[in-house]
Amino acid sequence: MELVTISDIEAAAERVRDVAVRTPLLLQTWDPRGTLWLKPESLQPVGAFKVRGAFNAIATLDEERRTRGVIAYSSGNHAQAVAYAAQRYGVPAVIVVPDVAPRIKVEATRSYGAEVIEVPIGEHEAKAHELATERGLTLVPPYDDAAIIAGQGTAGLEIAEDLPDVEVVLVPVSGGGLAAGVGTAIKARAPRARVIGVEPALAADTAEGLRLGRQVDWPQADRARTIADGLRAQPSELTFAHLRKVVDDMVTVTEDEIREAMRTLARKARLVAEPSGAVTTAAYLSHAGELPPGRTVALVSGGNADPAMFAEILAG
């Protein structure tokens, strides 16, 4: 199996340069250890890192395939990213989402002009493949694709450039595309740094799989329990191969730790983070004993929090 290289990520950086925001590294002065930087991918045009991979994937398509249109399946952030990228390229997009996806993400996807099709949870991937065949659309998967991994890896390239002496990089893990890409970039450009993946304890299939040295399958119903709706997927064969190579360790966080991290990010960092985007901060705040010491970057992967849920958590 051919893995994504640093050259692939550098090429992706050129493609997304004028579209993806180069998000800053923000030193958190409220942190008593003084070793935490946040990379707020929540500030991307679609409110999440997914714009990087979506643009890189569509940019690599030939004109004929782009003209026919694209299709994606997603719980929300990848949906928005593909819809946004397709709108920028002027091509049609169909997005299949689970019917439990946060409404804020579904409506945002529609606002970019995409056709949104809602299906029961667990059926959106199969439906997307079916429609791709029926309509002659090109599938843009959320993580199981080299161009997607390379695009997400551009965030890691920026971390290494902006903090060359970084010692720890905390990155959320779900389908594994972000961690695979960021880990690949960090290992190439800041090889002394340790890459730590973070999962909700209720969806910790990757943590178990890496510990066992093989992929494991957690039932969809189990993974759906976590509040972190963007972290309910499982790695593919491709992303798991990357994770085995570039992720040094895994940390899992509880639902209460995620909520507390969301409150901390809002009150002290002035950042809106959805639950999936807050897990890395949760790991830093609540699991310091499991992490290596030193200059740490926590990647805040997204900020598309449901308003009602966010208000409830802040009030807690």
Side-chain angles (χ1 to χ4, degrees):
M1 182 183 301
E2 190 170 338
L3 302 186
V4 168
T5 67
I6 188 63
S7 296
D8 297 326
I9 295 172
E10 290 171 337
E14 289 299 316
R15 295 188 191 101
V16 306
R17 185 179 303 280
D18 296 329
V19 180
V21 172
R22 186 188 177 97
T23 52
L25 289 186
L26 305 174
L27 176 64
Q28 300 304 295
T29 56
W30 53 265
D31 170 34
R33 283 174 272 169
T35 57
L36 177 63
W37 281 258
L38 300 177
K39 186 167 180 62
E41 287 293 288
S42 52
L43 301 181
Q44 291 293 348
V46 299
F49 73 95
K50 291 283 191 178
V51 69
R52 297 174 181 271
F55 262 90
N56 190 52
I58 293 178
T60 59
L61 297 178
D62 60 47
E63 192 62 31
E64 180 186 355
R65 295 174 74 195
R66 275 207 299 262
T67 300
R68 287 203 307 266
V70 296
I71 187 168
Y73 58 91
S74 167
S75 64
N77 285 334
H78 179 64
Q80 293 178 73
V82 172
Y84 176 65
Q87 183 187 64
R88 287 287 297 264
Y89 274 106
V91 302
V94 178
I95 312 295
V96 185
V97 302
D99 55 13
V100 296
R103 302 319 300 172
I104 186 174
K105 297 181 179 180
V106 174
E107 294 311 316
T109 302
R110 284 199 175 98
S111 75
Y112 295 121
E115 176 188 352
V116 176
I117 298 173
E118 299 185 55
V119 299
I121 187 170
E123 297 180 15
H124 53 307
E125 180 176 354
K127 186 65 174 179
H129 282 278
E130 175 188 325
L131 290 173
T133 301
E134 286 182 4
R135 302 190 188 184
L137 303 172
T138 296
L139 182 69
V140 182
Y143 49 86
D144 187 26
D145 182 84
I148 294 288
I149 294 170
Q152 319 304 26
T154 61
L157 201 62
E158 293 171 8
I159 292 171
E161 291 171 352
D162 293 345
L163 191 66
D165 56 354
V166 62
E167 294 170 276
V168 183
V169 177
L170 302 174
V171 58
V173 177
S174 181
L178 178 63
V182 168
T184 298
I186 292 298
K187 291 304 179 184
R189 291 289 177 260
R192 295 182 181 178
R194 291 178 62 79
V195 177
I196 310 297
V198 185
E199 283 183 308
L202 294 181
D205 50 280
T206 300
E208 180 182 354
L210 290 178
R211 186 175 65 251
L212 296 174
R214 58 176 174 81
Q215 287 183 260
V216 298
D217 181 26
W218 281 33
Q220 176 68 49
D222 288 354
R223 289 179 276 124
R225 295 173 299 169
T226 179
I227 191 176
D229 62 276
L231 302 182
R232 293 170 177 165
Q234 296 188 127
S236 65
E237 182 181 356
L238 177 64
T239 56
F240 192 77
H242 283 81
L243 298 179
R244 292 191 68 178
K245 181 179 179 182
V246 301
V247 171
D248 296 295
D249 203 355
M250 294 288 299
V251 171
T252 62
V253 293
T254 69
E255 301 297 287
D256 285 343
E257 289 166 351
I258 294 171
R259 292 184 176 91
E260 182 58 32
M262 291 175 67
R263 287 190 282 268
T264 298
L265 287 168
R267 295 168 181 167
K268 296 184 178 181
R270 308 317 192 257
L271 289 174
V272 174
E274 62 188 275
S276 304
V279 296
T280 53
T281 303
Y284 182 87
L285 294 175
S286 301
H287 295 266
E290 300 173 44
L291 300 175
R295 291 172 291 276
T296 300
V297 172
L299 197 151
V300 181
S301 57
N304 295 313
D306 175 79
M309 175 203 68
F310 189 67
E312 180 182 343
I313 289 174
L314 282 188

